[in-house]
Amino acid sequence: MSLVPHYRAIRTAAAALIYVRRRARDAEKTAFYHPAKKSTNYKPCERLSIVRLYLLSRVPTLSLVLAMPSTFPTSDTNTDTAANTDLPPSNSPSLHLTHPTPAECQHIWTLIHPSWGDSLSLPDFLSESAHLLTVPLARDGNMTLWILVDKNLPPDQRPTLASCETFKKKGLLARKDARVGAEVEVEGEVQDVVLHGIASVYCDPKYRGRGYAQRMMRELGEVLRNWQVGDGERCVGSVLYSDIGKGYYAKLGWMPVGCNTHLEFPARKRDERESSDGDHESIVLDADLDELCKRDENLVRQRLAENGKNALMVIPDADHMRWHHAKEDFVCGRILDKECPFKGVLVGEWEGKDRFWAFWARRFYGVGETARRENTLYILRLVFEKDDPGKEDMEKMRKALKIIVQAAQAEADYWGLGTVKLWDPSPLVLELIKGIDVEYRLVEREQECIASLMWHGDGDVPEWVANEKYAWL
């Protein structure tokens, strides 16, 4: 779907607004909103005003455009009405953690759009945010939105001082000596546990520097210990992925864990001379996810029980894959007007043994050739049914990995994505990749997407394993 008509419509509508504002306030500067760009120079209310102008610009009546309000109604939660001078301090007992109203959700999504809207226009991002509440990982209350507000103010008339969202996740905890009850110990048991994923932590820039986000996170960390924990369930912690380095969240109790590295491959077309050399290669569709994810989970449980380590991970179930796929399907439909049915690749006989497969998802951070370098195909999960091969198996596994990487590179190239990324490559994968004739680099992340865990369980913090993209939100 071309963005040029949208650009022209917005520009036309913006011209009318500029005329009115210049007549009213010569000192005010105004700009139009371009769906393919992120602007951080103008307030959310100004950007929404431009969007409303864009919608009305399709109606050939200039009076409708000129009559449209250029700001939010006075009842909006985040107008600048003396709010900054009357705000309570971050340690005030009047502040509390609660859940936003539908109108407040819209406001929060508007605020975070410049940071996490990627290639979506604001109206499309609002639609996507509402849509993601309906996908399996989020629906039925598994996703919760949180806000820090003054409890003395009524809903829809209170400033949103900080906000975030959480997801109830299924985890696996392996203990070398797992205590059950008060006395009994079971060696090598793998337990089903609850983990909470935290995402979209945000504070309106005009409220920053006051400690509100820290207050929200401290309260949230304690609330999540028992949040949505049913009978027979046990919450052992919460995890977030920091985009501001390792220090900020560590001070609040979320310590960096796992291997925060990834392999990076450039997108490239697949040479017709390249073949799978007799290895059967199949595309993975949505209908295949349940079967493959269940097989993966069974393998994971077996390996955790056998490896003799204290380990913790998010179960790589189909709900996690489909959450990522819901995002890419929405963007592909709205921006590119295309479907993206291929969700990965499998090497080996479909009903056979010793198969290899990968699930992936496309992420469009921008639109156009200039955004190509940023746009990425993420390998969400890489699975080898045999992970402790003998020497005779290594060559077969090396060929399978090459097929998977080349298929991902070709898929990235087809969709105009510049890069393929594989998070947390195992020692086996790092050994195999050395013998494959593909261009790659190993990146250690220090600032972005740092897995950070607040541990609620007994004893020492277990090793965080399978730190792959599927678990990120």
Side-chain angles (χ1 to χ4, degrees):
M1 180 176 65
S2 174
L3 294 175
V4 174
H6 296 258
Y7 178 95
R8 291 172 177 168
I10 297 168
R11 183 173 59 184
T12 301
L17 181 61
I18 291 171
Y19 172 80
V20 173
R21 286 189 169 182
R22 281 178 177 171
R23 293 288 297 268
R25 295 178 297 177
D26 291 338
E28 181 178 11
K29 294 183 180 180
T30 312
F32 54 80
Y33 176 82
H34 190 308
K37 297 181 179 179
K38 301 175 184 175
S39 174
T40 57
N41 297 323
Y42 304 95
K43 298 176 183 178
C45 59
E46 289 179 310
R47 286 196 292 270
L48 273 183
S49 298
I50 301 302
V51 171
R52 288 197 291 268
L53 274 171
Y54 155 59
L55 295 174
L56 288 175
S57 69
R58 297 195 171 198
V59 180
T61 307
L62 184 59
S63 61
L64 288 176
V65 177
L66 299 181
M68 187 187 65
S70 61
T71 61
F72 282 124
T74 56
S75 62
D76 185 79
T77 64
N78 284 274
T79 53
D80 287 328
T81 57
N84 286 356
T85 58
D86 297 336
L87 292 172
S90 61
N91 62 354
S92 171
S94 70
L95 298 183
H96 77 146
L97 199 60
T98 187
H99 310 296
T101 66
E104 288 170 330
C105 287
Q106 292 286 311
H107 175 73
I108 293 166
W109 295 335
T110 300
L111 282 178
I112 68 176
H113 169 256
S115 298
W116 296 306
D118 294 348
S119 57
L120 292 173
S121 68
L122 177 58
D124 282 341
F125 181 68
L126 295 177
S127 297
E128 183 202 47
S129 298
H131 170 65
L132 289 176
L133 293 173
T134 69
V135 301
L137 189 67
R139 68 187 179 206
D140 300 326
N142 281 335
M143 176 182 173
T144 308
L145 289 93
W146 303 88
I147 53 175
L148 182 74
V149 294
D150 188 337
K151 62 185 177 184
N152 297 319
L153 297 177
D156 297 330
Q157 296 182 37
R158 55 195 179 184
T160 302
L161 304 176
S163 63
C164 68
E165 56 197 34
T166 61
F167 295 78
K168 181 181 179 182
K169 293 169 171 277
K170 299 175 182 177
L172 294 175
L173 174 63
R175 285 296 200 188
K176 289 186 294 184
D177 297 309
R179 184 173 295 278
V180 180
E183 301 294 340
V184 183
E185 294 185 351
V186 179
E187 183 177 353
E189 184 188 25
V190 177
Q191 305 168 6
D192 287 271
V193 295
V194 172
L195 284 165
H196 290 288
I198 304 172
S200 303
V201 178
Y202 192 82
C203 180
D204 190 328
K206 65 189 176 190
Y207 302 141
R208 290 177 187 172
R210 297 170 177 264
Y212 293 135
Q214 293 186 35
R215 168 72 180 268
M216 177 185 70
M217 295 303 293
R218 286 194 176 100
E219 292 199 14
L220 182 67
E222 291 304 311
V223 169
L224 292 181
R225 288 176 179 269
N226 300 304
W227 182 251
Q228 295 180 328
V229 179
D231 294 339
E233 293 183 329
R234 182 164 69 105
C235 176
V236 297
S238 58
V239 62
L240 57 81
Y241 290 83
S242 171
D243 285 334
I244 53 175
K246 302 176 181 180
Y248 180 84
Y249 288 107
K251 293 178 181 178
L252 299 174
W254 283 271
M255 305 304 296
V257 291
C259 182
N260 292 287
T261 62
H262 63 261
L263 288 172
E264 197 170 288
F265 309 91
R268 62 183 289 270
K269 290 181 172 62
R270 206 165 186 178
D271 194 316
E272 294 181 359
R273 293 170 297 179
E274 295 172 348
S275 69
S276 56
D277 297 327
D279 289 293
H280 190 72
E281 178 183 347
S282 305
I283 59 173
V284 174
L285 304 175
D286 178 80
D288 305 316
L289 292 179
D290 293 296
E291 175 190 344
L292 292 176
C293 286
K294 190 61 182 177
R295 172 58 177 158
D296 185 13
E297 181 181 339
N298 291 337
L299 289 171
V300 164
R301 290 177 181 275
Q302 177 183 341
R303 290 166 183 170
L304 287 176
E306 293 173 350
N307 70 11
K309 295 181 180 180
N310 294 330
L312 177 66
M313 66 177 288
V314 174
I315 294 178
D317 55 29
D319 285 354
H320 276 83
M321 311 306 164
R322 289 190 173 116
W323 187 86
H324 289 275
H325 294 158
K327 285 183 67 68
E328 72 170 0
D329 289 342
F330 188 94
V331 174
C332 289
R334 290 294 180 100
I335 301 299
L336 304 175
D337 197 22
K338 295 165 66 175
E339 294 183 353
C340 47
F342 300 165
K343 304 305 182 184
V345 63
L346 180 144
V347 179
E349 294 295 333
W350 195 267
E351 301 297 334
K353 298 180 179 180
D354 298 338
R355 300 170 298 176
F356 318 86
W357 66 83
F359 304 130
W360 58 52
R362 307 152 186 85
R363 188 73 181 266
F364 298 89
Y365 294 103
V367 174
E369 191 61 32
T370 57
R372 181 182 174 91
R373 288 192 299 270
E374 286 187 70
N375 295 341
T376 302
L377 186 141
Y378 288 99
I379 296 180
L380 302 177
R381 176 72 172 158
L382 177 65
V383 181
F384 292 175
E385 284 192 298
K386 179 181 288 188
D387 72 337
D388 187 21
K391 290 183 179 180
E392 65 277 6
D393 299 312
M394 289 293 286
E395 185 59 31
K396 178 180 179 180
M397 299 181 78
R398 188 172 286 113
K399 289 167 57 179
L401 180 59
K402 182 176 182 179
I403 293 170
I404 289 172
V405 170
Q406 289 178 339
Q409 289 177 299
E411 188 72 3
D413 179 80
Y414 173 79
W415 285 94
L417 312 175
T419 307
V420 175
K421 293 183 181 180
L422 169 62
W423 280 21
D424 194 16
S426 67
L428 174 60
V429 169
L430 292 176
E431 178 64 27
L432 293 173
I433 202 71
K434 294 176 184 177
I436 298 176
D437 184 23
V438 295
E439 180 184 350
Y440 73 92
R441 69 186 185 114
L442 180 64
V443 178
E444 183 171 355
R445 300 188 301 276
E446 294 291 344
Q447 290 295 320
E448 297 184 348
C449 300
I450 305 298
S452 305
L453 174 72
M454 177 177 281
W455 173 243
H456 297 325
D458 301 325
D460 296 334
V461 178
E463 179 184 353
W464 181 254
V465 298
N467 190 29
E468 295 177 71
K469 186 68 175 183
Y470 75 89
W472 172 95
L473 296 170

